Amino acid sequence: MNAYLQSVLEDIKERHGHQKEFIQAVEEVFTCVEPVVDKHPEYENADLLTRMVDPERMFSFRITWMDDNGKWHTNRGWRCQFNGAIGPYKGGLRFQKNVNTGIIKFLGFEQTFKNSLTGLPIGGAKGGSDFDPAGKSDAEIMRFCQSYMTALYRYIGPDIDVPAGDMGVGGREIGYLFGQYRRLKGKWENGVLTGKGLSYGGSLIRPEATGYGAIYYLCEVLKHNNDTIEGKRIATSGYGNVAWGIMKKAAQLGAKVTYFSGPDGYVYDPDGVTTDEKLNYILEMRAKDPMHCKPYADKFGCKFVAGEKAWGEADVDVCMPAATQNDVNLECAKKIVASGVKYYMEVANMPTTADALEYLRSHKDIAVGPSKAVNAGGVGVSALEMAQNSERLVWTEDMVDEQLKNMMINIHKVSAEAAEEYGLGYDLVAGANIAGFKKVAEAMMEQGCF
Ligand code: GLU
């Protein structure tokens, strides 16, 4: 890393060193963009890199809500408007017990470059709360969401900041959040949130978009290797919206997800999650209990291994971690390499620990797809939802799917070209970081001191 990047990194570590995930995300980007920064000495004078790692604005607020027994509870909420150089702030809300300032900042930082990669005009943001949705009733979720939006509504808007879902925030939560926004504003501004229900401005394909996009991206990587998706066996982690979209699109294209996992362990289904019955059962199972995937194994007579992850199995062609950050550590990465897998596509945000990612990338016979590229289809379709809302139109499923596919083809292409331009060969991790960074950097430089 050059002296300027090194000094910015030291400074950020000194000031925010306890925010481990954030530092990890910054280090990955800095390592990858070094050749670009070398080429642009003017960035140092403009202090561009410090500006890029320092969020433009970040709020923290109290959320008080009442449970079904009339007892009051207090949680913390955050919204980090990380970078608005290329468009209104855009990014999801995560409701999960372990959420804190560092997690929100890492996600907002990643989102900035991911959103840039989509090629659409969206800046980077992220938000959430340390509220734990597990075991809450529908009415409790509604009251929590209303309270959350009461604290947030004056700082967001269709041209200001457009939140969406992330872990713990799906269609139901977005509905309650939007209802409260509409009540407070007294205005029909459905472009303020994405991931909405179809009855009030949601986009077709949005729930599946991240998973579908990840498979479209994988197809491009396979094409680069003169290979095809036909018959590929995929191991994933998680069985949320994202993993579900992967299962569905893989099945449509003649591949199959044979391993998936939940917090309780992993399922091995050698026939793959390919039928409508199985795909629908996963939705049902998740709605009932997001913590256990064993019921799938019981229902379909498959193997279930308690407390383990499915990384490193020999009968797998592609690994697609789609659960959460730092899910794949060095030990898992070693097993993956030893198993002979040729494709490792990150789908969750930063699912690989830094040492594991370095290890995987050092094996040149494995194609590694970075999360900010592979999962960008989700937010990409969110931007298409914003476009539909501002046009007051609804696009057909085919129109959205076609645009999603082209977006993923383009993300792969610009990433591969960026790596090539800097003499790095077919390095998709470096390429995605460089391509995402360049556009944000240019926009910030052109807009002057800000
Ligand atoms: N939370 C998703 C992500 O990590 C989607 C964000 C959005 O649609 O705004 O990209």
Side-chain angles (χ1 to χ4, degrees):
M1 213 178 281
N2 71 28
Y4 172 49
L5 286 169
Q6 197 68 50
S7 77
V8 177
L9 187 62
E10 308 268 91
D11 172 57
I12 205 89
K13 276 187 179 166
E14 209 177 296
R15 292 191 290 134
H16 308 285
H18 57 289
Q19 297 172 347
K20 286 195 298 298
E21 292 84 1
F22 176 54
I23 300 293
Q24 183 184 336
V26 171
E27 274 184 323
E28 180 188 317
V29 171
F30 276 21
T31 317
C32 293
V33 303
E34 183 181 11
V36 190
V37 176
D38 278 342
K39 222 171 122 181
H40 291 275
E42 70 277 18
Y43 288 175
E44 183 168 355
N45 189 43
D47 204 17
L48 189 76
L49 276 295
T50 312
R51 287 199 273 149
M52 270 198 187
V53 296
D54 226 323
E56 283 181 21
R57 198 173 299 114
M58 187 158 179
F59 320 110
S60 156
F61 43 89
R62 186 184 64 207
I63 309 144
T64 305
W65 56 281
M66 193 190 278
D67 71 20
D68 292 342
N69 299 317
K71 189 169 182 295
W72 294 38
H73 298 266
T74 305
N75 284 94
R76 187 107 299 254
W78 291 269
R79 183 72 181 166
C80 175
Q81 299 180 335
F82 214 108
N83 192 308
I86 65 171
Y89 306 109
K90 180 87 198 84
L93 298 174
R94 179 175 290 193
F95 292 171
Q96 204 174 45
K97 222 168 145 175
N98 70 354
V99 164
N100 56 41
T101 321
I103 301 261
I104 297 296
K105 261 171 73 180
F106 120 66
L107 289 165
F109 180 73
E110 289 287 287
Q111 197 82 42
T112 301
F113 303 103
K114 176 199 317 198
N115 292 4
S116 159
L117 273 173
T118 65
L120 296 166
I122 38 178
K126 204 81 185 193
S129 171
D130 56 8
F131 170 75
D132 181 7
K136 303 291 186 295
S137 73
D138 199 60
E140 287 169 339
I141 297 282
M142 181 177 76
R143 287 194 292 274
F144 177 80
C145 289
Q146 290 175 337
S147 208
Y148 190 92
M149 187 50 88
T150 305
L152 186 66
Y153 84 100
R154 41 182 115 236
Y155 308 110
I156 60 176
D159 293 315
I160 303 170
D161 179 1
V162 183
D166 196 82
M167 294 164 83
V169 179
R172 174 181 61 165
E173 289 74 14
I174 293 292
Y176 293 146
L177 290 163
F178 178 65
Q180 183 71 354
Y181 180 85
R182 190 166 72 79
R183 173 150 68 166
L184 292 164
K185 294 282 288 219
K187 246 181 167 182
W188 181 260
E189 285 183 345
N190 65 352
V192 69
L193 289 166
T194 61
K196 298 182 292 293
L198 295 175
S199 59
Y200 61 99
S203 173
L204 287 160
I205 309 275
R206 178 61 190 91
E208 297 91 341
T210 310
Y212 279 20
I215 293 287
Y216 288 144
Y217 183 94
L218 169 65
C219 288
E220 293 310 292
V221 178
L222 289 162
K223 204 189 281 169
H224 175 89
N225 283 8
N226 294 319
D227 202 346
T228 66
I229 187 135
E230 194 83 54
K232 290 283 178 292
R233 296 155 304 176
I234 301 172
T236 180
S237 54
Y239 59 100
N241 248 358
V242 175
W244 183 75
I246 291 174
M247 292 164 180
K248 219 171 140 182
K249 188 49 83 179
Q252 282 172 17
L253 300 180
K256 56 185 180 185
V257 170
T258 49
Y259 289 90
F260 68 90
S261 59
D264 55 336
Y266 76 81
V267 171
Y268 172 48
D269 180 352
D271 297 330
V273 190
T274 48
T275 62
D276 284 347
E277 190 194 358
K278 288 177 176 176
L279 287 161
N280 289 335
Y281 184 75
I282 289 196
L283 286 185
E284 231 177 82
M285 178 172 79
R286 189 177 72 210
K288 266 194 222 136
D289 173 4
M291 300 306 280
H292 297 91
C293 62
K294 185 172 178 291
Y296 178 99
D298 295 341
K299 178 159 171 77
F300 296 105
C302 312
K303 181 169 143 186
F304 175 77
V305 180
E308 298 282 327
K309 293 175 185 178
W311 307 126
E313 299 293 336
D315 53 353
V316 163
D317 305 296
V318 186
C319 287
M320 301 185 83
T324 191
Q325 66 271 3
N326 291 331
D327 175 30
V328 177
N329 60 20
L330 185 57
E331 194 193 325
C332 301
K334 284 185 175 162
K335 283 192 200 156
I336 290 172
V337 170
S339 75
V341 155
K342 292 280 164 289
Y343 303 97
Y344 178 82
M345 299 290 123
E346 294 189 322
V347 195
N349 291 312
M350 207 170 72
T352 323
T353 60
D355 51 356
L357 186 62
E358 196 183 324
Y359 183 78
L360 287 161
R361 289 180 68 196
S362 71
H363 290 81
K364 297 293 174 210
D365 53 336
I366 302 181
V368 179
S371 55
K372 52 174 79 72
V374 182
N375 76 25
V379 72
V381 172
S382 274
L384 302 181
E385 184 173 329
M386 289 161 71
Q388 293 170 71
N389 295 156
S390 61
E391 284 184 341
R392 302 252 194 269
L393 287 175
V394 178
W395 299 351
T396 63
E397 187 168 332
D398 285 351
M399 274 168 81
V400 179
D401 201 20
E402 182 70 19
Q403 293 207 44
L404 168 62
K405 192 172 170 183
N406 289 336
M407 195 186 307
M408 299 315 297
I409 291 174
N410 198 48
I411 290 173
H412 173 267
K413 182 169 170 275
V414 298
S415 302
E417 284 171 0
E420 203 58 60
E421 184 190 337
Y422 285 90
L424 301 167
Y426 188 60
D427 183 339
L428 295 170
V429 177
N433 280 295
I434 291 173
F437 170 85
K438 272 170 82 172
K439 186 171 159 195
V440 179
E442 256 169 51
M444 288 177 77
M445 290 302 283
E446 285 174 21
Q447 291 171 36
C449 196
F450 179 75

Tab-separated table of all heavy atoms in Angstrom, residues 90-92 111 114 126 162 164-166 194 206 349 375 378-379 382, ligand 1:
chain	number	residue	atom	x	y	z
A	90	LYS	N	-28.553	5.380	-0.860
A	90	LYS	CA	-29.365	4.184	-1.090
A	90	LYS	C	-28.723	2.998	-0.397
A	90	LYS	O	-27.521	2.760	-0.537
A	90	LYS	CB	-29.429	3.913	-2.611
A	90	LYS	CG	-30.242	2.685	-2.970
A	90	LYS	CD	-31.702	3.028	-3.119
A	90	LYS	CE	-32.606	1.827	-3.058
A	90	LYS	NZ	-32.966	1.407	-1.680
A	91	GLY	N	-29.533	2.248	0.321
A	91	GLY	CA	-29.029	1.044	0.973
A	91	GLY	C	-30.035	0.539	1.988
A	91	GLY	O	-30.970	1.254	2.358
A	92	GLY	N	-29.827	-0.673	2.429
A	92	GLY	CA	-30.825	-1.340	3.262
A	92	GLY	C	-30.793	-0.972	4.728
A	92	GLY	O	-29.939	-0.216	5.199
A	111	GLN	N	-21.556	-0.442	0.364
A	111	GLN	CA	-22.709	-0.090	-0.472
A	111	GLN	C	-22.342	0.997	-1.484
A	111	GLN	O	-22.813	0.989	-2.622
A	111	GLN	CB	-23.856	0.395	0.426
A	111	GLN	CG	-25.212	0.399	-0.242
A	111	GLN	CD	-25.874	-0.975	-0.232
A	111	GLN	OE1	-25.824	-1.677	0.765
A	111	GLN	NE2	-26.493	-1.352	-1.331
A	114	LYS	N	-20.569	-0.721	-4.355
A	114	LYS	CA	-21.508	-1.644	-4.987
A	114	LYS	C	-22.506	-0.865	-5.844
A	114	LYS	O	-22.762	-1.190	-7.003
A	114	LYS	CB	-22.245	-2.419	-3.888
A	114	LYS	CG	-23.312	-3.344	-4.399
A	114	LYS	CD	-24.327	-3.764	-3.333
A	114	LYS	CE	-23.726	-4.130	-2.003
A	114	LYS	NZ	-24.662	-4.907	-1.164
A	126	LYS	N	-26.532	2.949	4.633
A	126	LYS	CA	-27.002	1.753	5.332
A	126	LYS	C	-27.582	2.182	6.661
A	126	LYS	O	-27.203	3.230	7.196
A	126	LYS	CB	-25.838	0.788	5.593
A	126	LYS	CG	-26.288	-0.630	5.757
A	126	LYS	CD	-26.509	-1.262	4.406
A	126	LYS	CE	-27.081	-2.651	4.501
A	126	LYS	NZ	-26.983	-3.322	3.195
A	162	VAL	N	-32.936	6.667	0.223
A	162	VAL	CA	-33.976	5.670	-0.044
A	162	VAL	C	-33.612	4.328	0.612
A	162	VAL	O	-32.899	3.516	0.011
A	162	VAL	CB	-34.167	5.504	-1.577
A	162	VAL	CG1	-35.304	4.533	-1.885
A	162	VAL	CG2	-34.418	6.851	-2.243
A	164	ALA	N	-34.067	0.451	2.200
A	164	ALA	CA	-34.677	-0.793	1.695
A	164	ALA	C	-34.484	-1.854	2.774
A	164	ALA	O	-34.158	-1.524	3.910
A	164	ALA	CB	-33.993	-1.205	0.398
A	165	GLY	N	-34.640	-3.108	2.407
A	165	GLY	CA	-34.452	-4.185	3.375
A	165	GLY	C	-33.019	-4.673	3.437
A	165	GLY	O	-32.187	-4.360	2.586
A	166	ASP	N	-32.740	-5.409	4.460
A	166	ASP	CA	-31.510	-6.183	4.608
A	166	ASP	C	-31.891	-7.279	5.619
A	166	ASP	O	-33.085	-7.572	5.756
A	166	ASP	CB	-30.353	-5.292	5.110
A	166	ASP	CG	-28.988	-5.932	4.906
A	166	ASP	OD1	-28.447	-5.839	3.795
A	166	ASP	OD2	-28.452	-6.560	5.855
A	194	THR	N	-37.549	1.078	-1.075
A	194	THR	CA	-37.691	0.021	-2.084
A	194	THR	C	-37.836	-1.331	-1.393
A	194	THR	O	-37.576	-1.446	-0.200
A	194	THR	CB	-36.515	-0.003	-3.075
A	194	THR	OG1	-35.317	-0.266	-2.334
A	194	THR	CG2	-36.389	1.298	-3.845
A	206	ARG	N	-38.000	-7.964	-7.426
A	206	ARG	CA	-37.127	-7.428	-6.377
A	206	ARG	C	-36.771	-8.464	-5.315
A	206	ARG	O	-35.599	-8.577	-4.947
A	206	ARG	CB	-37.718	-6.141	-5.743
A	206	ARG	CG	-36.858	-5.562	-4.589
A	206	ARG	CD	-35.472	-5.165	-5.075
A	206	ARG	NE	-34.522	-4.827	-4.032
A	206	ARG	CZ	-33.681	-5.698	-3.444
A	206	ARG	NH1	-33.696	-6.973	-3.763
A	206	ARG	NH2	-32.831	-5.278	-2.541
A	349	ASN	N	-22.801	-9.731	2.193
A	349	ASN	CA	-21.829	-8.642	2.257
A	349	ASN	C	-20.623	-9.082	3.087
A	349	ASN	O	-20.779	-9.463	4.246
A	349	ASN	CB	-22.470	-7.397	2.883
A	349	ASN	CG	-23.513	-6.786	1.957
A	349	ASN	OD1	-23.265	-6.581	0.778
A	349	ASN	ND2	-24.710	-6.522	2.478
A	375	ASN	N	-23.468	-9.434	-5.469
A	375	ASN	CA	-24.812	-9.206	-4.904
A	375	ASN	C	-25.428	-7.870	-5.319
A	375	ASN	O	-26.478	-7.475	-4.796
A	375	ASN	CB	-24.816	-9.399	-3.381
A	375	ASN	CG	-24.189	-8.246	-2.602
A	375	ASN	OD1	-24.138	-7.103	-3.060
A	375	ASN	ND2	-23.733	-8.517	-1.392
A	378	GLY	N	-29.393	-6.886	-6.310
A	378	GLY	CA	-30.472	-6.539	-5.374
A	378	GLY	C	-30.711	-5.042	-5.361
A	378	GLY	O	-31.811	-4.554	-5.676
A	379	VAL	N	-29.656	-4.311	-5.052
A	379	VAL	CA	-29.816	-2.853	-5.019
A	379	VAL	C	-30.041	-2.307	-6.435
A	379	VAL	O	-30.706	-1.290	-6.623
A	379	VAL	CB	-28.622	-2.173	-4.297
A	379	VAL	CG1	-27.350	-2.216	-5.136
A	379	VAL	CG2	-28.967	-0.745	-3.902
A	382	SER	N	-33.527	-2.402	-6.964
A	382	SER	CA	-34.107	-1.328	-6.149
A	382	SER	C	-34.080	-0.013	-6.933
A	382	SER	O	-35.031	0.774	-6.888
A	382	SER	CB	-33.313	-1.140	-4.856
A	382	SER	OG	-33.761	-2.020	-3.856
B	1	GLU	N1	-29.508	-4.609	1.551
B	1	GLU	C1	-29.282	-4.854	0.160
B	1	GLU	C2	-27.811	-4.710	-0.133
B	1	GLU	O1	-26.994	-5.065	0.686
B	1	GLU	C3	-30.188	-4.051	-0.727
B	1	GLU	C4	-30.132	-2.563	-0.573
B	1	GLU	C5	-31.165	-1.793	-1.400
B	1	GLU	O2	-31.915	-2.414	-2.145
B	1	GLU	O3	-31.171	-0.567	-1.248
B	1	GLU	O4	-27.379	-4.304	-1.180
